Amino acid sequence: MALNDALFFKAVIAIYILLISKPPTLDEISSHIKRKSSKSAPGPDGIPYIVFKKCPSVRKHLINIYGKIWSRKQIPECFGKPMFVLIPKKDRVTDPKDTRPIALTNTISKIFFSVLQTRMTRFMLSNKYFRPNHQKGFLPGISGCLEHNTLLSESLKDARKSERQITVCWIDLENAFGSIQHELMLFALRWYNFPPLVSDMIASYYSKLKFSIITKEGPSKSLSYNVGLFQGCCLSPIVFNIVINILVDKLISNEKKWGYRFKFNNKYTESILAFADDLAILTRHPKHCQVLLDEVDKFCEWTDGLRTKPSKCHCLCLGRRNTRYTSYDPGLSIGGQCVSTVTENAPFKFLGRKIDNIGRTPSLEGIVDSFLNDLNKVDSQQISNVKKAWIYDNYLTSRLNWLFPRL
């Protein structure tokens, strides 16, 4: 039976390799062009998306161009020459760190890499290399921030209510996208059985990738990307996920049902909650959490580029100390340094949601209480049912928009 399963798995991979190896089709290209915003600024060639939207006949030329790229496995140099515009974060800027770089790339390259990105994502999901229960970053149809925060919030709530042991550690990777070695990127593609066609095209792209910065005096000289992923490319998020998935796989193989166990159904949670480079480890006991933190250290050392930032890592541990159930310092460490605990005056923010020192989500629980109180005030007043329904609907909509701004 095991042999048959292995043969079936190889057959499935072979099918998806065949599908991903075919040149882009007109339907794929048209679908991605429809989703692009007509207001997006064009790249150095000055061609906006509106040209491809309003002139369907032009798309046929894209098929010919993309087909040649596919057959030659070489990315044109014009695809890898972005221009950066520095947008000030405040009124007076004296340091480049006070600016936000916006990359302007040619629309013809963005359409091409959008097609490739969709195929690579489908390849990873269809072959079950990505585990959406653990990694939720940049995956289609998944509200990753909401789902991870809900699981985390409910786990901490259940632990407080039943006075069970629970440990959470949030890991910060320093300059994660900018620290990926290109050899590591290509290794990850081979590791997950991508056909050589894909890795060859991406290797060609990064070998020619050079950027300039637009200044008052004109464009700066071209600079090469010797390390790191180009964050102005739609291909980078999926490539980063593929690289970091090696770490997720390693952590999952070591978790051994170490997640928190709910009292009401006795089921384990996932131990690893990832949204791209935002990582959280959720276990029952601190010793299990420390084992997984050690694996993170080993992975970072192996990559020869990625590294944790202990000063930005935090942990929260709830349990019984003597006769009292409280939060305490579990003594966790990462990168050779102690992980600081979440304090009452400095709640920790994970995926846009704050968590305090006893595991509450103030923004979530506070808004629910406020919402219920306001509804009670409405009920106590003499208001028609129609007006009351309108108030409920508009109030709830505004509150949800405030509560989940990143969705």
Side-chain angles (χ1 to χ4, degrees):
M1 184 65 180
L3 179 60
N4 291 336
D5 290 344
L7 292 174
F8 175 76
F9 183 67
K10 289 183 179 180
V12 171
I13 292 178
I15 292 172
Y16 280 102
I17 287 177
L18 181 62
L19 293 175
I20 201 175
S21 300
K22 290 184 176 181
T25 64
L26 180 59
D27 289 340
E28 281 181 295
I29 294 171
S30 299
S31 175
H32 282 280
I33 289 174
K34 282 183 180 179
R35 293 200 292 266
K36 300 298 183 180
S37 173
S38 300
K39 297 180 180 180
S40 295
D45 63 7
I47 302 175
Y49 284 122
I50 195 68
V51 173
F52 302 107
K53 287 177 176 286
K54 297 296 184 180
C55 305
S57 60
V58 178
R59 302 174 196 173
K60 296 179 181 179
H61 295 288
L62 292 181
I63 294 179
N64 295 330
I65 296 171
Y66 295 164
K68 289 181 179 180
I69 295 174
W70 226 261
S71 61
R72 297 174 182 175
K73 304 178 185 178
Q74 292 291 315
I75 301 297
E77 288 189 7
C78 64
F79 278 25
K81 290 187 176 180
M83 303 287 287
F84 277 97
V85 178
L86 302 181
I87 307 298
K89 294 181 180 178
K90 52 186 181 181
D91 294 337
R92 293 185 179 180
V93 176
T94 57
D95 193 311
K97 293 181 179 179
D98 297 328
T99 62
R100 181 178 292 105
I102 303 297
L104 301 179
T105 55
N106 293 331
T107 53
I108 187 174
S109 65
K110 288 192 282 188
I111 296 169
F112 176 84
F113 288 124
S114 293
V115 173
L116 182 58
Q117 178 265 335
T118 299
R119 289 189 177 191
M120 291 174 68
T121 303
R122 189 181 299 127
F123 182 88
M124 292 293 290
L125 289 171
S126 300
N127 290 308
K128 298 183 179 179
Y129 292 136
F130 280 156
R131 296 175 174 85
N133 286 345
H134 297 276
Q135 173 61 269
K136 297 184 183 292
F138 313 124
L139 299 184
I142 296 177
S143 300
C145 297
L146 175 60
E147 292 179 12
H148 273 340
N149 274 315
T150 300
L151 175 60
L152 194 57
S153 176
E154 290 300 315
S155 299
L156 291 167
K157 184 178 179 180
D158 184 83
R160 294 196 308 270
K161 186 176 180 180
S162 58
E163 295 193 352
R164 289 190 166 197
Q165 177 84 33
I166 190 171
T167 306
V168 185
C169 185
W170 295 274
I171 303 170
D172 184 84
L173 296 176
E174 185 175 359
N175 189 25
F177 270 71
S179 301
I180 300 293
Q181 300 285 349
H182 296 166
E183 283 300 320
L184 173 63
M185 170 183 64
L186 298 176
F187 169 83
L189 295 175
R190 295 191 297 269
W191 181 258
Y192 289 110
N193 297 308
F194 278 94
L197 167 71
V198 175
S199 56
D200 287 347
M201 285 194 296
I202 294 177
S204 171
Y205 175 48
Y206 271 89
S207 68
K208 301 171 182 176
L209 186 59
K210 294 183 178 181
F211 68 94
S212 301
I213 299 174
I214 298 177
T215 66
K216 293 180 179 179
E217 290 75 25
S220 68
K221 67 176 183 179
S222 296
L223 303 171
S224 300
Y225 262 92
N226 297 321
V227 66
L229 301 179
F230 173 33
Q231 295 190 45
C233 178
C234 59
L235 195 63
S236 296
I238 179 62
V239 172
F240 180 84
N241 267 8
I242 292 170
V243 172
I244 210 70
N245 202 61
I246 300 175
L247 171 61
V248 174
D249 283 345
K250 181 63 176 175
L251 295 177
I252 292 172
S253 67
N254 282 275
E255 64 179 359
K256 301 174 184 177
K257 293 185 178 179
W258 287 347
Y260 176 76
R261 181 184 286 181
F262 281 98
K263 183 178 181 180
F264 74 94
N265 61 6
N266 213 32
K267 289 185 177 181
Y268 289 98
T269 64
E270 288 78 12
S271 295
I272 313 302
L273 307 179
F275 191 95
D277 60 329
D278 289 313
L279 300 174
I281 295 178
L282 174 60
T283 63
R284 298 192 308 282
H285 299 293
K287 62 179 182 180
H288 298 152
C289 189
Q290 186 60 60
V291 171
L292 297 178
L293 290 177
D294 292 341
E295 291 294 340
V296 174
D297 279 335
K298 293 177 184 177
F299 174 78
C300 290
E301 183 179 357
W302 173 75
T303 64
D304 191 29
L306 287 170
R307 58 184 181 273
T308 58
K309 196 171 185 179
S311 62
K312 292 293 185 69
C313 297
H314 293 78
C315 66
L316 173 65
C317 187
L318 301 176
R320 186 167 291 280
R321 308 296 284 175
N322 297 325
T323 60
R324 183 188 175 194
Y325 184 81
T326 184
S327 61
Y328 65 93
D329 186 353
L332 300 176
S333 64
I334 191 170
Q337 298 183 36
C338 294
V339 179
S340 60
T341 59
V342 178
T343 62
E344 182 177 0
N345 297 325
F348 181 75
K349 182 181 287 187
F350 177 64
L351 299 179
R353 293 290 153 254
K354 291 183 179 180
I355 297 175
D356 66 12
N357 64 313
I358 57 174
R360 296 174 304 183
T361 308
S363 59
L364 179 61
E365 297 180 4
I367 194 63
V368 170
D369 292 339
S370 174
F371 174 62
L372 294 176
N373 289 334
D374 287 345
L375 288 186
N376 289 331
K377 293 178 181 178
V378 172
D379 281 332
S380 65
Q381 299 173 5
Q382 299 297 321
I383 303 177
S384 68
N385 290 334
V386 175
K387 289 183 179 179
K388 188 181 297 184
W390 181 88
I391 292 173
Y392 282 14
D393 180 66
N394 282 272
Y395 183 89
L396 182 58
T397 300
S398 65
R399 292 290 85 188
L400 289 177
N401 287 337
W402 176 87
L403 185 58
F404 304 119
R406 295 185 62 175
L407 300 182

